[in-house]
Amino acid sequence: MTKGEVEAQVTHPPAAPEAAPEAPPAAQPKALPEPPPKAPAREPAWAEGVKRLRKAATTEPGRLRVIGAVVAALVLAFGAVTTWETTSRADAADRVLHRSQPLSADAAAIYRSLADANTAASTGFLGGGQEPADIRERYQRDIERASEKLATAAANAGSGGNGSSAAAISALNKLLPQYTSLIERARANNRQGLPLGGAYLRYANDTMQTRMLPAAEKLYKAENQRLDDDYADAEPYPWAALSLGALALAALVWTQRRNYRRTNRVFNAGLLAASTAAAVVLLWLVVGHTVARSGLSTSYDDGVRSLTVLNDARISSLKARGNENLTLVSRGAETTEEGKDKFDTAYQQQMRRLAGDSGLLAQAARLADDDAGKRPVATAADNVTVWKDRHKSARASDDAGRYEAALDKVIGSGGAKGGPGSASTGESFDNVDAALDTALAHEQREFQRAAEDGKGAMAGLPVGAAVLAVLGATGAVLGIGRRLSEYR
């Protein structure tokens, strides 16, 4: 090897043989991506609202906003509840005046007309075959009045009435034609002088006493209950509205005191206006409802109660008169278990209910609150005393076999109604009936006046409360807004 080759090898040594390629590493499994973190559960809306309020309450402007919202809400709630409660009570008072009491009076008129028609029929029968024209007209007038009042009651039975009223009206509408048919048969037989006429009259009276008058009484009680329910809705104090009003006014006073202590300003015009509006509504509510309640209570105590007792007294007098007449018609044909005349016994029961210290007339005299109400009741009581004496005399004549004399003492020598100077029980009955009619008319006027006063005391209160509440809430918001403007 030459010197040059040796130097070449030293300078350029031979390249090392290439290493064999390494095997690729084994495949590793890919790692799964981590799930994104879960968003924290959102709190309920009310909780977020509470947090915002707490945060807002840490600053004076925030506190003012919360106070303003609460005060305005209280004033608006006061106005809304006042409007709702006074509207419901005003509606109930209106029903008392224009619906339930007139319907109660109509129900009483139905009972009274039926009882009077029955009395007129028996009186006319005693007059003989030729029934007096005035008695016939009275009977027809009573039947027509009862029919008209039944139509009115039927029209109102489905609107605010109850099943009891509807059933009574239905029964009376079916029985009234049956009763009038029996009366016509009694008259036809009486004109011919047939004894069968008396049997028909007694059957008609039995239909009236055992079926028609109980149905009319049921209707009367149902309408009185509706009247009592309307009074119960109209009279209670609106405690919810009064409580909210006191709370709203207290909140407004507290807010103004707080404003004064923090700013040294005596008045805030908006808050002062809101306080005035709330105070006016509260005072109006207290005074108006107190006056309304007083008027309604007076209308019930001096009107409805007196009317109820007077109606009962008039019905008792009508029943007594009808039974007195039937005593002569039956001539002892019907008796009680004790052997006494059935109709005379019923007459005595009605007179005991009517007269005496605990009787209906004595109750009516105690309920009358003025001379105009007491005088006709006293007149009726005096005539009841005379009536009883004359009846005793008539019964003595009948028991002695002097039927014509007894008849004259019952229906009078001047005819069925009694002529001038005829000292008959019919004259006494007419005087009692006329006096009770005068007393009823007076007490009806007393009820009308007091009920109108009660209803009028709440006039305008529902609308006025709503308007003043809106103005008061607006004033509170503006007053707080004026204070907030100082922080801008």
Side-chain angles (χ1 to χ4, degrees):
M1 178 177 300
T2 63
K3 184 179 178 181
E5 290 176 347
V6 172
E7 289 177 355
Q9 288 183 356
V10 173
T11 307
H12 301 284
E18 294 183 0
E22 297 181 0
Q28 299 292 329
K30 291 184 178 180
L32 294 176
E34 294 183 2
K38 291 184 179 180
R42 185 170 180 178
E43 294 180 334
W46 65 268
E48 292 182 359
V50 170
K51 281 188 175 181
R52 291 194 188 98
L53 286 176
R54 286 177 178 173
K55 185 177 180 180
T58 59
T59 63
E60 180 61 15
R63 294 190 192 98
L64 287 173
R65 290 188 181 92
V66 172
I67 292 171
V70 171
V71 169
L74 282 174
V75 174
L76 287 175
F78 170 43
V81 173
T82 299
T83 299
W84 169 58
E85 289 196 316
T86 54
T87 297
S88 66
R89 283 157 177 75
D91 289 344
D94 185 74
R95 291 196 303 272
V96 165
L97 182 60
H98 296 120
R99 186 178 180 81
S100 52
Q101 198 281 328
L103 288 175
S104 176
D106 285 348
I110 291 171
Y111 196 119
R112 193 166 56 242
S113 296
L114 292 174
D116 192 61
N118 198 49
T119 298
S122 61
T123 302
F125 191 91
L126 288 175
Q130 296 299 321
E131 184 177 9
D134 56 343
I135 298 300
R136 177 79 180 195
E137 290 174 2
R138 180 173 180 172
Y139 168 83
Q140 293 291 353
R141 188 167 57 250
D142 287 332
I143 294 297
E144 290 173 2
R145 184 185 299 115
S147 299
E148 291 172 1
K149 298 299 183 181
L150 276 173
T152 302
N156 289 280
S159 54
N162 53 41
S164 178
S165 295
I169 293 167
S170 177
L172 286 170
N173 280 326
K174 290 178 182 178
L175 290 169
L176 188 58
Q178 298 176 23
Y179 172 80
T180 55
S181 176
L182 290 170
I183 292 297
E184 291 306 319
R185 291 183 184 182
R187 284 171 172 164
N189 283 276
N190 192 39
R191 281 194 293 269
Q192 298 177 44
L194 299 176
L196 190 60
Y200 274 118
L201 184 65
R202 291 194 299 274
Y203 185 35
N205 176 74
D206 186 67
T207 301
M208 176 66 73
Q209 298 293 343
T210 62
R211 301 175 68 186
M212 296 179 70
L213 290 182
E217 184 177 9
K218 188 176 182 181
L219 175 62
Y220 180 51
K221 288 181 177 179
E223 295 302 335
N224 277 349
Q225 183 59 52
R226 175 155 56 169
L227 176 60
D228 289 343
D229 291 343
D230 286 338
Y231 267 107
D233 291 338
E235 290 185 335
Y237 272 105
W239 293 114
L242 292 172
S243 301
L244 271 174
L247 184 60
L249 197 57
L252 284 164
V253 171
W254 176 84
T255 302
Q256 291 175 93
R257 182 173 180 272
R258 181 182 185 277
N259 183 59
Y260 169 73
R261 294 181 66 180
R262 288 175 178 268
T263 65
N264 238 10
R265 292 186 178 91
V266 178
F267 294 118
N268 178 292
L271 292 174
L272 185 61
S275 300
T276 302
V280 168
V281 173
L282 188 59
L283 183 63
W284 190 359
L285 177 62
V286 171
V287 174
H289 193 273
T290 300
V291 173
R293 182 186 174 92
S294 175
L296 289 171
S297 296
T298 300
S299 73
Y300 187 85
D301 293 336
D302 297 342
V304 173
R305 290 178 63 195
S306 292
L307 287 169
T308 300
V309 173
L310 288 169
N311 276 319
D312 290 345
R314 197 173 186 189
I315 289 166
S316 286
S317 71
L318 287 165
K319 285 184 175 181
R321 178 59 177 170
N323 284 311
E324 183 180 50
N325 290 341
L326 286 166
T327 302
L328 294 179
V329 172
S330 67
R331 299 190 182 186
E334 297 188 39
T335 59
T336 64
E337 293 180 357
E338 293 80 13
K340 297 180 179 180
D341 187 281
K342 172 184 173 181
F343 299 109
D344 189 57
T345 300
Y347 162 85
Q348 298 294 345
Q349 290 175 346
Q350 294 301 327
M351 294 303 280
R352 284 194 297 270
R353 187 167 182 260
L354 189 63
D357 293 337
S358 60
L360 292 169
L361 290 176
Q363 294 178 39
R366 288 192 292 269
L367 288 171
D369 61 333
D370 55 13
D371 288 340
K374 291 180 182 295
R375 278 195 303 270
V377 175
T379 300
D382 291 342
N383 279 278
V384 164
T385 301
V386 175
W387 183 1
K388 291 168 67 177
D389 292 339
R390 291 177 178 178
H391 176 83
K392 186 181 296 185
S393 175
R395 293 309 309 142
S397 297
D398 192 30
D399 292 340
R402 294 184 286 114
Y403 178 79
E404 292 298 328
L407 183 64
D408 183 62
K409 292 177 181 179
V410 171
I411 65 175
S413 58
K417 193 176 180 180
S422 60
S424 66
T425 60
E427 181 186 40
S428 299
F429 163 73
D430 286 339
N431 291 338
V432 171
D433 194 64
L436 291 176
D437 186 62
T438 301
L440 281 165
H442 171 74
E443 297 301 338
Q444 183 65 36
R445 289 192 297 270
E446 289 287 290
F447 162 81
Q448 194 84 11
R449 177 190 57 76
E452 285 178 351
D453 290 344
K455 180 179 178 294
M458 289 189 288
L461 180 53
V463 175
V467 172
L468 287 173
V470 171
L471 293 177
T474 303
V477 170
L478 292 176
I480 294 296
R482 180 70 183 87
R483 179 81 177 87
L484 284 171
S485 67
E486 298 173 0
Y487 288 89
R488 295 172 186 170

